[in-house]
Amino acid sequence: MNKKTWWQPPRRFKETQNERKISWLELFYDLVYVACIGQVTSHIAAHPDGAHVSYAILYFVFIFWAWINGTQYYELHGNDTIRTRWFVFLEMLTVGAVAISVPAAFRGNIVSFTVSFLAVQGVTIYLLASVSFYDRSHIGLSGPFLLCYGIAFLLLFISIFCQPFAALPLYLLAIVINLSAPVLGARNLNKILASRGQQFSASPSLVERFGQFTIIVLAESILSIISGFSTAHTASLLVWSFYCLSIGIAFLLWSIYFDMTNEQELKKGYGYYQLFVFTHLVLLGALGAFGACLRNLAEHFDTPAPVLLTRTIAISLALFLAAMCLIGRLIMADDDHQTRSYLRQVTRWNIVVIVVLIAVSAWSKSWSVSGLLLTLFLLLAIPVATGVVTWLTHENQPED
């Protein structure tokens, strides 16, 4: 084996593969994020108050930023070489260190979390800079990202020497700067692509990666349900009915997401893709909060569910459905009457369910666990059933 075989440079941006199969390495890479998300959601389940939830959202945004950068790098520049495998392994080590340090960060010891995430940020910066090193034409594309990521790295480094109350503003500023990089680089990217007679289009494999990450968060919800019900002091028929309803709700959420996105393409344009990314940030955060709340809800079989818990569940589901409505608008279905009709009908009913969920969150009465779970199940079943009926109706129509 020569050096060219096992240590090839990253793939050039203009060599992006629009049609490719998701690799086993990418699936393995996602597993470390299961640990990260699990640490965050389990803490929310144990401490569902406003302060802890706020910090959980902040840590989740950091984790999502790490995942999206690793995913996009592999999509645009990854190849089947030892170099790629080595850096995926290095990213997994650093993200795993972040997962280990999350519990201490919730207790106020943020140094280990900061150092771990600095390692993640450092690897990201190096990989992006290495692309420009091997491909000089990429400097114009990576410049805004390197600038933003470098400033955020410096802010996080300074936060190591600050007290937690003083480090928080630096954390917030760092994540805002990290997330703003694609916005700042959009104009230059579109200009360069236009000069090549091209327009940015998210490949099907890249869109599929978001579905895989959604599965990870849904898996945490399933784990939260099972963990919560495993602590039940009784195995009565009522408890098992609660369990079935909870799993049914998770299944309906899966149906809503994948029925709307499966094998669908996004509208062409870098702006549409970035909106898709940020919408998933809201969607996945809502799913994570919902899963954590279900675990906490399992402790109230014999007593009314706390009002705060009920409101959090209702709001998280409303946010999820609102995000799905927006994603439905981002799907390219101009030439497919069946898909357009399906998305239109499901989106309408999603909006109706959102209004009802907001009403549930505003209604301050204490809900019983059975009443709350049954209400949520029936509400989520409406858009799913509507979608199935719409799809079957079009399938059974005679062809012209």
Side-chain angles (χ1 to χ4, degrees), residues 271-304:
Y272 287 123
Y273 170 66
Q274 287 304 319
L275 188 55
F276 183 74
V277 172
F278 285 107
T279 302
H280 269 81
L281 176 58
V282 176
L283 181 147
L284 294 170
L287 276 182
F290 170 74
C293 289
L294 275 186
R295 180 175 180 177
N296 192 273
L297 189 66
E299 301 175 1
H300 301 277
F301 295 125
D302 303 322
T303 59

Side-chain angles (χ1 to χ4, degrees), residues 259-261 264 324-325 327-333 336-350 387 390-391:
D259 286 348
M260 292 184 69
T261 61
Q264 302 295 337
M324 289 307 307
C325 290
I327 289 175
R329 300 288 296 176
L330 299 176
I331 292 175
M332 183 172 61
D336 189 341
H337 176 69
Q338 183 178 21
T339 301
R340 288 202 315 271
S341 178
Y342 171 85
L343 292 174
R344 183 169 58 250
Q345 293 295 330
V346 173
T347 299
R348 287 175 179 174
W349 282 106
N350 279 346
T390 303
W391 195 264

